[in-house]
Amino acid sequence: LSICGKLCYAIGGAPNQVAGSAAAFFLQIYLLDIAHITPFHASLVLFIGKASGAVTDPVAGFFISKSRWTKIGRLMPWMLACTPFTVVSYFFMWYLPPFVSGRVAWYLTFYCLFQALTTLFQVPYSALTMFLSTDQKERDSATAYRMTMEVLGTLIGAALQGQIVASAHVSHHCTVNPPVNTTDSWHDTPSFPDPSDPLSHQVIYMIAAGVIGGVYLLGIVILFLGVKEKDDPYALNSDRAIPFCKGLGLTMKHGPYVKLTASFLLISTAVQLEQSNFVLFCTHAADLRNHFQYLVVTILVSAAVSIPFWQKFLQRFGKKCAACGISWMIPFAVMLVTIPNLILAYFVAFVSGLSIAASLLLPWSMLPDVVDNFRLQNPHGKGHETIFYSSYVFFTKMSAGIGLGISAAGLEFTGYKPGICRQSDDVILTLKILIGAVPAILILVGLFILLFYPITEESRKETKLALEVLR
C-alpha cells in the first residue's frame, strides 16, 4: 500500500469522528442547557439514538453482505450514498426548533437518523480494511494511519465545537465568586438571563454544524478518489457467501471474537462515559468551566500524537501487552475527582489521551486477526467480514447507549437542573462517580476479560503463513 493510499483511506473516516466527537462532548450539555429538555428526556434521546445506531449495524451488515460487486467496489457505493443524508441529519440535530412541546421528538428523530446513517458508513468503511491488502503488517499500518486521522478528527471536532460554542456556556452570573453561605437565590439564578441569548446560541451551534458538515463532504471525496477496493483475495470462484444469519451464529461461537468484543465493549463504554460527562464535570463539579475546551483539546492532542507510539509498541511487544496502557487513565481520573486542581486537570487530560489512543487503536488492530483466524477455520466461505465488523459495532454501541442512558438518568434522579449556576451536592457527587469510579470498574473488568484472548503474536504468524498457503 502506498502512503498516499493509506492517507486517503484514513482521511475518509475522519469526518465521522469529527461529528461523533462534537456530539459525544457537547450533545448532552446542549440538550440540557440550550434546548432546556429534562435530564430524563435527554437520557432517552441519547440511549434510543445509540440503540437505533446499534440496531442498524446488523441490518447494514446483512444488506452489504448481499451487495454485488460494482465498478467502484462492493462497499464504496454504500459510503457514497449515505454521506449527503448524514450531513443533513447532523445539521438538524443541532437546530433549535421554534416549538417547545415537540423538542424531545425532534432531537430524538434526527439523532436516531444520524446514528443510523453513520452506521451505514462505518460498517463498510471499517470492513474495507480487509480489502486493502492481504498482508497483516500492511493492514495494521493502514489501521494505524486510520486511527491517527480519526483521533485527529476527534480533536478537530471537539476543538471546532468547543471554540465555536464555548461562549454559549459561559455566563457572568456563573463566574462571580459566590458568598460563603450559598443562598437559594444563587441556586435559582439562570445561566442565560438575557432573553435574546437562546437565539444567539442557536446561531452558534448552527455555524458549528455547518462547518462539520463541510468536513464530511471533503472526506468522502478524498476517500473515493484515493482508495481502490479489492475483491476477496482468498475466495475461490466456487465459494459462496455465508448466509448472514448463519454467519452471525458462527461469529457468536468464535471464541477469540467473543472475548475481544466483551472486553472492548466495556472499555469503550468507559471512554464514552468520560467523554459525555467531562464537560458537565468541568462546568459543575470542578470549577473549570472556563477551561473545559482547552482540556478537551489536551486530551485529544495527546491521543493523536501517541497513536504512532502505540503502533510501534504493539509491533514490538504484542497487542495484548499494549492493552495495559488503557489502565493509565484510572488513577489520574480518580485524582482529578478527589483533587480538582487546574494543573492536575491538564496532567490528567494528557494521560487520559494516551489511554484513549490505546483503546481506539487496539480493537481495530486486533479485529482483522480474528477475521483471519475465522477464515482459516472456515476456508470455503466468503462475505463474513461485514458480519464481524457490523456485529462488533452493534455491541459497542449498545453498551455505550446503555451507559449514557443510565448516566443521564442518574443526573435526573439526583436533581440536575438545566440553566443554573451551581448544581446540588448530589449532582456533583454523581458526576464524580461517572467520571472516576464507573469508568475505572469497567476498564478493569474489560482488561481482565482480555487476559483470556487466545490470539498471540506466534499464533498470528502461523495464521498468516497458513492463509498464504491457502491463497
Side-chain angles (χ1 to χ4, degrees):
L1 293 175
S2 67
I3 293 177
C4 179
K6 293 176 188 175
L7 278 173
C8 290
Y9 170 65
I11 291 171
N16 246 6
Q17 304 306 313
V18 174
S21 170
F25 280 109
F26 293 96
L27 183 59
Q28 182 164 267
I29 197 169
Y30 169 82
L31 294 175
L32 294 174
D33 288 357
I34 306 299
H36 289 162
I37 68 175
T38 67
F40 174 73
H41 287 133
S43 70
L44 284 180
V45 171
L46 294 172
F47 171 69
I48 296 175
K50 284 285 185 183
S52 69
V55 170
T56 310
D57 285 301
V59 176
F62 174 79
F63 284 108
I64 293 169
S65 66
K66 298 287 185 182
S67 300
R68 294 182 177 180
W69 184 265
T70 68
K71 291 182 179 179
I72 59 173
R74 187 163 57 94
L75 303 175
M76 190 68 74
W78 286 88
M79 294 180 274
L80 289 172
C82 69
T83 297
F85 300 101
T86 306
V87 173
V88 173
S89 63
Y90 180 80
F91 187 78
F92 283 109
M93 194 173 79
W94 299 99
Y95 177 71
L96 190 67
F99 48 84
V100 177
S101 59
R103 281 184 183 175
V104 175
W106 174 278
Y107 290 115
L108 184 60
T109 300
F110 284 104
Y111 188 51
C112 288
L113 191 60
F114 171 72
Q115 288 291 333
L117 289 167
T118 53
T119 294
L120 289 176
F121 181 94
Q122 187 67 25
V123 170
Y125 174 76
S126 55
L128 186 60
T129 309
M130 301 301 298
F131 299 98
L132 296 176
S133 172
T134 58
D135 190 281
Q136 289 181 349
K137 286 187 177 179
E138 287 297 305
R139 290 202 305 251
D140 286 348
S141 176
T143 300
Y145 272 82
R146 170 193 161 192
M147 298 319 300
T148 301
M149 289 305 302
E150 288 194 354
V151 173
L152 284 173
T154 305
L155 168 62
I156 292 168
L160 273 176
Q161 192 86 355
Q163 294 300 321
I164 294 173
V165 309
S167 61
H169 299 287
V170 175
S171 171
H172 296 297
H173 285 75
C174 294
T175 55
V176 176
N177 291 325
V180 177
N181 296 322
T182 306
T183 62
D184 288 338
S185 61
W186 169 266
H187 283 276
D188 294 334
T189 303
S191 297
F192 314 113
D194 185 352
S196 67
D197 276 352
L199 180 60
S200 65
H201 298 157
Q202 174 192 340
V203 172
I204 289 170
Y205 270 95
M206 294 304 290
I207 291 171
V211 171
I212 291 175
V215 173
Y216 252 111
L217 298 176
L218 178 64
I220 192 63
V221 169
I222 293 174
L223 178 68
F224 175 69
L225 296 177
V227 175
K228 182 173 177 59
E229 180 184 343
K230 299 176 182 178
D231 204 355
D232 190 339
Y234 297 115
L236 302 173
N237 290 333
S238 59
D239 289 344
R240 294 184 177 182
I242 298 176
F244 183 82
C245 293
K246 179 182 177 182
L248 189 61
L250 290 173
T251 59
M252 294 301 103
K253 296 175 184 177
H254 193 59
Y257 179 72
V258 171
K259 293 179 177 66
L260 180 71
T261 303
S263 171
F264 278 98
L265 70 84
L266 294 173
I267 292 170
S268 64
T269 301
V271 174
Q272 284 277 346
L273 284 173
E274 292 273 1
Q275 280 186 322
S276 63
N277 291 291
F278 187 76
V279 176
L280 283 170
F281 174 80
C282 291
T283 304
H284 298 298
D287 197 25
L288 298 170
R289 66 173 67 243
N290 294 323
H291 297 273
F292 71 79
Q293 66 267 39
Y294 306 112
L295 289 168
V296 168
V297 169
T298 302
I299 292 173
L300 298 172
V301 167
S302 170
V305 299
S306 62
I307 289 282
F309 162 77
W310 286 117
Q311 176 65 13
K312 294 290 184 184
F313 188 95
L314 64 86
Q315 286 178 345
R316 182 167 183 179
F317 299 103
K319 297 178 182 180
K320 283 180 70 173
C321 187
C324 67
I326 300 172
S327 64
W328 292 355
M329 75 167 70
I330 296 174
F332 295 101
V334 173
M335 287 172 62
L336 179 62
V337 167
T338 53
I339 315 169
N341 177 272
L342 180 59
I343 296 175
L344 179 63
Y346 278 99
F347 186 66
V348 170
F350 174 78
V351 175
S352 295
L354 298 178
S355 296
I356 288 172
S359 72
L360 291 173
L361 176 63
L362 280 172
W364 296 112
S365 181
M366 297 166 86
L367 196 54
D369 301 337
V370 173
V371 176
D372 280 347
N373 183 270
F374 181 85
R375 158 71 75 180
L376 195 59
Q377 296 180 19
N378 301 271
H380 295 294
K382 61 180 181 179
H384 57 276
E385 294 86 359
T386 52
I387 299 173
F388 272 97
Y389 280 88
S390 63
S391 54
Y392 174 78
V393 178
F394 166 78
F395 287 118
T396 52
K397 279 188 178 179
M398 277 299 293
S399 63
I402 292 170
L404 293 177
I406 291 174
S407 72
L411 294 176
E412 166 81 12
F413 180 76
T414 52
Y416 181 90
K417 295 180 180 179
I420 66 172
C421 293
R422 178 168 294 178
Q423 300 291 337
S424 67
D425 291 339
D426 290 340
V427 172
I428 292 172
L429 177 62
T430 301
L431 288 170
K432 288 181 177 180
I433 292 172
L434 292 172
I435 286 290
V438 176
I441 293 170
L442 291 173
I443 289 171
L444 289 173
V445 175
L447 292 176
F448 177 75
I449 294 172
L450 197 63
L451 290 175
F452 301 96
Y453 176 70
I455 298 178
T456 62
E457 294 305 302
E458 291 75 19
S459 65
R460 197 162 69 94
K461 292 174 183 177
E462 292 172 1
T463 300
K464 178 184 177 182
L465 290 173
L467 285 176
E468 289 301 321
V469 173
L470 175 67
R471 187 183 175 209

